[in-house]
Amino acid sequence: MDQLEELFLALFPQRIPDTPNDQEYTRLEQILLERVRADSGEPMVEKLTDFWAEKGEADCRRFFREGLRLGLELVRLL
């Protein structure tokens, strides 16, 4: 495992802030999942939650890399 991967994994498990915006997003997500469960069943709910989890991790990795690039660029300018 390379050092960037180790750093990302060390920082990744941080809890998402519990802001009112996050609470509203979670509430809407639960409503959507209940509707999907009623219309398409549990297998589709599992596929959807797996997709959201993978997309969330991919977004975190992308933001991490972009932040790291920006930090290195700022250091280079000093």
Side-chain angles (χ1 to χ4, degrees):
M1 180 180 310
D2 64 31
Q3 292 174 342
L4 287 179
E5 182 71 11
E6 286 182 31
L7 179 60
F8 174 79
L9 292 176
L11 298 173
F12 181 68
Q14 300 210 1
R15 193 175 71 73
I16 296 173
D18 194 24
T19 65
N21 203 24
D22 293 324
Q23 292 172 355
E24 180 68 10
Y25 178 80
T26 300
R27 187 181 71 77
L28 293 174
E29 186 180 84
Q30 291 304 316
I31 291 171
L32 177 62
L33 288 176
E34 288 304 318
R35 289 181 180 174
V36 169
R37 184 175 286 116
D39 291 341
S40 303
E42 193 63 32
M44 185 57 74
V45 170
E46 289 177 15
K47 288 179 183 179
L48 187 57
T49 53
D50 289 346
F51 169 76
W52 284 342
E54 289 174 14
K55 183 183 181 316
E57 184 175 342
D59 287 346
C60 286
R61 287 181 181 278
R62 182 173 51 88
F63 293 141
F64 174 74
R65 286 190 308 270
E66 289 172 1
L68 199 55
R69 282 188 194 113
L70 176 63
L72 291 172
E73 190 65 28
L74 289 172
V75 167
R76 188 179 70 81
L77 293 174
L78 294 176

